[in-house]
Amino acid sequence: QVQLVQSGNEVKKPGSSVRVSCKGSGDIGDTFIKYAIGWVRQAPGQGLEWMGGIAPLFGTPQYAQKFQDRVKMIADRSTGTASLELSRLTSEDTAVYYCTRTSIAVPGSGPAYYFYFMDVWAKGTTVTVSS
Amino acid sequence: DIVMTQSPDSLTVSLGETATINCKSSQNVLDTSKNEHFLAWYQQKAGQPPKLLIYWASTRESGVPDRFSGSGSGTDFSLTISSLQADDVAVYYCQQYYSSPLTFGGGTKVEIK
């Protein structure tokens, strides 16, 4: 059974950056080949917000437009790891950040792919932005 | 972006009774080439990450009890929990994956009466 293990909780100052890592463990099998690693965040007492994701096989991330100019997602299928970096933090970025295994569809022979549903979730990393 | 609207916001149901949660998408999430609805349901218990329950609108994830069922078409979907158990207390979310960005409903909290 595959598990995703994230790095520890973070406290950051406004204007700084945070990096959250995510590592596959257990029977990761083809997780980092046939799936994408997606990132979802949840502000305190709020709902779920998709930030984007990356299929390690292709290496090209896709970001939600809201985060386009300050997010970076990378993944390494050789090590079974992924990371999320979010810059120019504000108090509104205070949230639990989840990495997920996300099913994808690959419509052709090129690097384009589409995200589907998320069947494995890590426990989450709490990022607190406070001065 | 596709907006997902869930109702009700919260639901109180007696043990053994049926809970029905509704989810409406702002546009059709049916892929006609696949004849599949690009909709999933998740369960999130307090202090835990979400758990996938249903995908393709009605396909149960492995290990999910058959008292959970998904239905609907076009823009209107439902998650039904039959014979509600104490362990079902959670917030439930729908999610569309028809187009990017993936979007979630606001969540429905299910409690025991």
Side-chain angles (χ1 to χ4, degrees):
Chain A
Q1 183 178 357
V2 64
Q3 292 179 315
L4 298 173
V5 180
Q6 293 183 222
S7 50
N9 297 335
E10 302 267 9
V11 178
K12 293 291 181 179
K13 299 284 190 191
S16 67
S17 299
V18 68
R19 182 174 175 273
V20 179
S21 65
C22 172
K23 183 173 176 61
S25 71
D27 184 16
I28 64 172
D30 53 9
T31 291
F32 283 76
I33 298 173
K34 293 186 177 179
Y35 296 82
I37 298 297
W39 292 89
V40 174
R41 76 177 187 179
Q42 186 170 36
Q46 302 300 307
L48 303 168
E49 182 176 33
W50 184 76
M51 301 179 68
I54 180 169
L57 180 64
F58 302 114
T60 49
Q62 296 180 36
Y63 305 136
Q65 188 164 8
K66 174 178 178 179
F67 302 101
Q68 188 80 33
D69 61 345
R70 63 188 188 101
V71 72
K72 182 178 179 182
M73 296 174 188
I74 60 175
D76 185 337
R77 56 191 168 106
S78 66
T79 59
T81 59
S83 67
L84 162 75
E85 185 171 347
L86 189 64
S87 62
R88 304 198 303 275
L89 294 169
T90 73
S91 59
E92 294 186 355
D93 293 315
T94 293
V96 178
Y97 289 75
Y98 296 104
C99 70
T100 74
R101 187 176 80 168
T102 305
S103 292
I104 58 172
V106 184
S109 58
Y113 59 96
Y114 304 106
F115 297 97
Y116 282 177
F117 46 86
M118 293 156 260
D119 68 341
V120 179
W121 293 67
K123 287 184 170 23
T125 295
T126 299
V127 175
T128 303
V129 183
S130 174
S131 55
Chain B
D1 299 0
I2 297 178
V3 177
M4 307 299 289
T5 303
Q6 286 183 233
S7 62
D9 292 337
S10 64
L11 195 54
T12 304
V13 178
S14 299
L15 288 172
E17 297 299 306
T18 297
T20 300
I21 299 166
N22 301 303
C23 175
K24 187 175 184 66
S25 56
S26 61
Q27 64 186 73
N28 198 318
V29 296
L30 169 67
D31 184 318
T32 53
S33 65
K34 293 177 168 41
N35 195 30
E36 294 279 11
H37 290 90
F38 282 42
L39 184 107
W41 289 96
Y42 299 85
Q43 174 194 65
Q44 186 177 32
K45 297 180 179 178
Q48 296 184 19
K51 172 189 173 183
L52 176 67
L53 295 176
I54 303 276
Y55 53 95
W56 301 123
S58 60
T59 301
R60 261 189 307 275
E61 171 72 332
S62 174
V64 173
D66 60 6
R67 65 177 183 275
F68 291 91
S69 62
S71 63
S73 64
T75 62
D76 293 283
F77 301 89
S78 295
L79 174 70
T80 300
I81 312 171
S82 305
S83 300
L84 193 79
Q85 300 186 7
D87 189 51
D88 300 333
V89 169
V91 179
Y92 293 84
Y93 295 93
C94 60
Q95 175 233 328
Q96 67 80 21
Y97 45 97
Y98 183 83
S99 67
S100 184
L102 307 185
T103 48
F104 294 87
T108 296
K109 187 174 185 179
V110 174
E111 297 175 300
I112 302 295
K113 188 180 293 183

